[in-house]
Amino acid sequence: AQSVTQPDIHITVSEGASLELRCNYSYGATPYLFWYVQSPGQGLQLLLKYLSGDTLVQGIKGFEAEFKRSQSSFNLRKPSVHWSDAAEYFCAVGETNAGKSTFGDGTTLTVKP
Amino acid sequence: NAGVTQTPKFQVLKTGQSMTLQCAQDMNHNSMYWYRQDPGMGLRLIYYSASEGTTDKGEVPNGYNVSRLNKREFSLRLESAAPSQTSVYFCASSEWGGRGYNEQFFGPGTRLTVL
């Protein structure tokens, strides 16, 4: 069965610093991979996705992620964090033969002024 | 477009009461989902409907039932609420099948408390 691990429950960074959120997945075939963001009291919003092709994908709000098959990872990065990036971030793997995804437990990002 | 809408936004129930959470999407998606979100546990899939007329159990289906009323609407029913069902419930939809992937669009959530 597929699974997603986000090793960091909580990360704190200073505004303007770089950010990397880790995601490792387990899936038997080539995965579809997603990062979502959730602001307090809101639903989830898609940041970016990897379906195939270029392993470095760009998303909204200046985020990017790199798919590394050899490491079963899909880490999210941003070169300079803004206070408005404080939120909870979820990595997900989409099954290619069924209409559903598996989500990680999430990483909460706090941004220090 | 409203996207995915959910009603109600908040609900308080007593143990043993029943209720139905409503979800509708206006994006003509074929797949719809119900999740629950609890602190530290991410999103757990309760039920999903890959296409109109089909429903399947997810990770945590016990105590819930669903109805895919039509392509737009997918409801979640709690027949006899229990305190363990206190959670935030999210509905989502996606276009899956033809393009093979399932980027999901989420509603704003329903906060349910069972006393």
Side-chain angles (χ1 to χ4, degrees):
Chain A
Q2 68 282 356
S3 65
V4 177
T5 302
Q6 295 181 243
D8 305 304
I9 296 172
H10 196 171
I11 282 184
T12 299
V13 300
S14 297
E15 191 169 15
S18 63
L19 171 70
E20 182 169 35
L21 302 182
R22 295 182 292 164
C23 173
N24 294 98
Y25 68 90
S26 173
Y27 187 64
T30 299
Y32 297 137
L33 295 162
F34 307 89
W35 274 100
Y36 294 85
V37 60
Q38 183 182 32
S39 298
Q42 306 291 317
L44 279 70
Q45 179 187 16
L46 182 74
L47 275 178
L48 48 77
K49 60 192 175 190
Y50 170 79
L51 305 177
S52 65
D54 194 347
T55 56
L56 184 64
V57 293
Q58 304 296 321
I60 62 171
K61 305 184 182 186
F63 285 92
E64 67 177 26
E66 186 171 13
F67 169 53
K68 293 186 177 180
R69 186 187 303 275
S70 61
Q71 298 177 21
S72 297
S73 69
F74 188 55
N75 294 347
L76 182 70
R77 300 194 293 250
K78 186 170 185 178
S80 178
V81 169
H82 187 263
W83 64 267
S84 60
D85 293 325
E88 190 159 19
Y89 292 80
F90 292 93
C91 181
V93 58
E95 294 186 29
T96 54
N97 61 350
K100 59 189 176 80
S101 294
T102 299
F103 286 78
D105 289 342
T107 297
T108 300
L109 173 65
T110 298
V111 180
K112 293 190 303 184
Chain B
N1 287 349
V4 179
T5 57
Q6 293 182 236
T7 55
K9 286 187 168 56
F10 301 93
Q11 184 71 50
V12 178
L13 294 178
K14 295 181 180 178
T15 297
Q17 287 185 316
S18 63
M19 79 162 294
T20 299
L21 281 64
Q22 306 286 353
C23 174
Q25 52 93 8
D26 63 1
M27 295 172 282
N28 203 36
H29 287 165
N30 58 356
S31 299
M32 297 185 73
Y33 313 83
W34 276 107
Y35 295 91
R36 58 178 291 172
Q37 183 178 33
D38 302 291
M41 302 188 74
L43 284 123
R44 292 183 291 169
L45 183 65
I46 305 171
Y47 272 93
Y48 69 106
S49 171
S51 61
E52 188 179 356
T54 68
T55 60
D56 287 285
K57 295 179 180 179
E59 183 185 353
V60 289
N62 291 348
Y64 305 95
N65 284 300
V66 291
S67 294
R68 184 73 183 267
L69 304 169
N70 48 54
K71 192 171 186 180
R72 288 187 64 248
E73 299 172 289
F74 189 38
S75 63
L76 178 72
R77 183 161 178 83
L78 287 69
E79 292 290 352
S80 179
S84 60
Q85 294 177 305
T86 293
S87 188
V88 181
Y89 291 85
F90 288 100
C91 178
S93 71
S94 76
E95 182 62 26
W96 178 80
R99 289 179 291 176
Y101 58 87
N102 52 6
E103 162 193 346
Q104 295 186 19
F105 294 80
F106 285 80
T110 295
R111 294 184 177 275
L112 175 66
T113 301
V114 183
L115 302 174

